[in-house]
Amino acid sequence: MAKLHIKKGDIVIINAGEDKGKEGKVLSVDPEKQRAIVEGCNVIKKHTKPSASNPQGGIVEKEAPIHISNLNLKDPKTGVATRVGIKLDENGAPVLDEKGNKIRIAKKSGEEIK
C-alpha cells in the first residue's frame, strides 16, 4: 500500500478524463485501491431497488471513485494544479506540526497546505 499525496478534505483539480479541469473537495480516499471520491465529479446514475431508506427506488446520481493519478492538489496561493512536497529543515529532516504530522507544501508556490 503506497502513501498518497491526497487526503480527505483537500481541494483537487482533475487532470484527465471526462471531468478534466473540474475541481472539488475530496470526500473519501481508498489507499488500497488508490482511488478517491471527489465532490461533484465523475457523477454516475445508479439504478436502485426500493428499500427502507429509499422506498421509491429509481435512479440515483452519485460520485464514483477516480484514480489518484488523475488528481492534482490545488495550490492554495495561485489556484493552479501543483505537486505536493514535504517541508524540510536545514538538516534535511521533515518539519512536524503540533500533532506530529509532516507539513505538506505546494511545489509551485511553496505555500503550506492546510
Side-chain angles (χ1 to χ4, degrees):
M1 188 167 70
K3 183 104 168 105
L4 304 177
H5 62 281
I6 288 172
K7 293 181 179 181
K8 180 179 174 180
D10 285 346
I11 305 296
V12 294
I13 297 172
I14 298 174
N15 61 21
E18 188 180 311
D19 291 323
K20 181 176 181 175
K22 282 189 183 178
E23 58 184 66
K25 186 177 182 182
V26 176
L27 300 176
S28 69
V29 176
D30 184 356
E32 278 186 19
K33 294 181 182 173
Q34 293 201 351
R35 293 184 167 270
I37 296 177
V38 181
E39 188 176 44
C41 298
N42 200 24
V43 177
I44 58 165
K45 291 183 186 225
K46 184 167 174 63
H47 297 259
T48 57
K49 291 173 78 173
S51 63
S53 61
N54 188 7
Q56 190 65 29
I59 301 170
V60 178
E61 288 192 352
K62 63 181 264 182
E63 291 97 356
I66 303 171
H67 197 271
I68 292 291
S69 66
N70 296 329
L71 302 174
N72 273 107
L73 205 73
K74 183 178 177 185
D75 194 318
K77 194 174 193 178
T78 61
V80 296
T82 183
R83 293 175 296 143
V84 180
I86 293 170
K87 191 173 188 176
L88 302 174
D89 62 12
E90 60 276 349
N91 299 328
V95 178
L96 304 177
D97 62 6
E98 58 277 344
K99 293 181 183 174
N101 299 324
K102 293 176 187 171
I103 296 175
R104 299 184 304 156
I105 59 166
K107 288 269 191 171
K108 286 211 173 156
S109 67
E111 191 79 11
E112 186 178 319
I113 298 164
K114 305 226 173 359

